Amino acid sequence: MAGLDLLAGVVFRWSADPQTLERAVALAQQAVALDDSLPFAHSLLTGVYELKQQYDQAIAEGERAIALDPNNADSYDVLAEALNFAGRPEEALRAVEQAMRLNPHYPPSYLFDLGWAYNLTGRYAEAIATLKEAISRIPNFIPAHSLLANSYLLQWLSQQSPAAQTLEPALAAAQRALALSDSYPWCHINLGYIYLYQQQYEQALAEMERAVALAPTEAGAMQRWLWC
């Protein structure tokens, strides 16, 4: 159990240390080698491969977990997350919707992955509504606040609805995310773009610099993820 606890810690970002990540990969692979019939081990390995940005492997492990237990709702949600990371949101939508069918009392994380898939498919109004529901259930759900800000911003850029005429909802969501924690680079990237479109260039630059300082090797990847 200690090995799986370590692995879960990495997957859910309790530890981002590269050495810990490599150890977690080894432990997950060892768990799979000892008992290839454990869906949970394959799902955790999915999360580790996501952190390593090895999305094909992540998806393969997610699909293996589902093959082992087709009635496990969490396995479908884990696969949906991997598909979102890989830029395959239409498939992610189908996976998370299946998770919700299997578990009608789904946790807020399912709503986040659903909102993320809506965001990536350009369905911003649905993304916003879904992320608001997730936040209503966990008010300090920082990734949901950040993705909500991004959804408002993209809705404003696309001008999909009369309610998206200003950047104020995006700004408010981004500021709420940062009020909860200043240490998430993607929150600063969102706010930087909002300031950019408000023509507040010094503030935009400061937010982007803060994102790079927090994650100098990852900020570019996060920027692409937010805008893919």
Side-chain angles (χ1 to χ4, degrees):
M1 283 301 294
L4 288 179
D5 287 343
L6 171 67
L7 184 57
V10 173
V11 171
F12 295 107
R13 302 169 199 270
W14 298 332
S15 173
D17 178 72
Q19 291 184 343
T20 304
L21 177 58
E22 291 304 324
R23 186 180 172 206
V25 172
L27 286 169
Q29 291 171 336
Q30 182 182 2
V32 169
L34 289 171
D35 188 350
D36 189 60
S37 67
L38 277 175
F40 181 64
H42 288 280
S43 289
L44 285 174
L45 193 52
T46 297
V48 173
Y49 281 132
E50 288 171 9
L51 292 178
K52 291 170 68 67
Q53 299 180 35
Q54 297 176 5
Y55 302 129
D56 288 343
Q57 294 96 317
I59 291 167
E61 292 298 333
E63 289 174 342
R64 176 62 177 157
I66 289 171
L68 288 167
D69 185 359
N71 295 314
N72 188 315
D74 289 343
S75 295
Y76 284 94
D77 184 57
V78 168
L79 177 61
E81 182 178 276
L83 289 164
N84 275 331
F85 270 116
R88 294 161 58 178
E90 296 287 357
E91 295 170 75
L93 276 173
R94 291 193 290 271
V96 72
E97 286 168 353
Q98 177 63 8
M100 290 174 162
R101 282 191 289 270
L102 289 169
N103 179 11
H105 304 290
Y106 47 81
S109 58
Y110 288 24
L111 290 167
F112 176 81
D113 290 322
L114 180 62
W116 185 5
Y118 283 144
N119 174 288
L120 292 176
T121 53
R123 296 163 63 176
Y124 303 121
E126 290 164 284
I128 289 165
T130 301
L131 293 164
K132 282 183 173 180
E133 184 180 349
I135 290 167
S136 73
R137 293 171 63 178
I138 302 183
N140 62 347
F141 196 168
I142 298 170
H145 283 284
S146 182
L147 188 58
L148 178 62
N150 182 257
S151 298
Y152 274 128
L153 176 57
L154 293 175
Q155 185 186 53
W156 176 81
L157 286 170
S158 65
Q159 292 295 298
Q160 287 185 358
S161 77
Q165 294 303 309
T166 74
L167 283 169
E168 291 308 313
L171 179 62
Q175 290 173 334
R176 280 194 296 270
L178 284 171
L180 290 167
S181 176
D182 186 58
S183 63
Y184 288 82
W186 54 87
C187 296
H188 291 280
I189 291 172
N190 269 326
L191 188 55
Y193 273 113
I194 293 165
Y195 283 142
L196 178 66
Y197 286 109
Q198 290 181 327
Q199 299 182 17
Q200 300 182 38
Y201 300 121
E202 290 186 8
Q203 295 95 319
L205 180 60
E207 293 300 330
M208 294 301 187
E209 288 176 342
R210 176 62 175 155
V212 172
L214 286 167
T217 63
E218 298 177 17
M222 289 179 182
Q223 183 184 34
R224 290 189 298 275
W225 170 68
L226 283 167
W227 289 87
C228 63

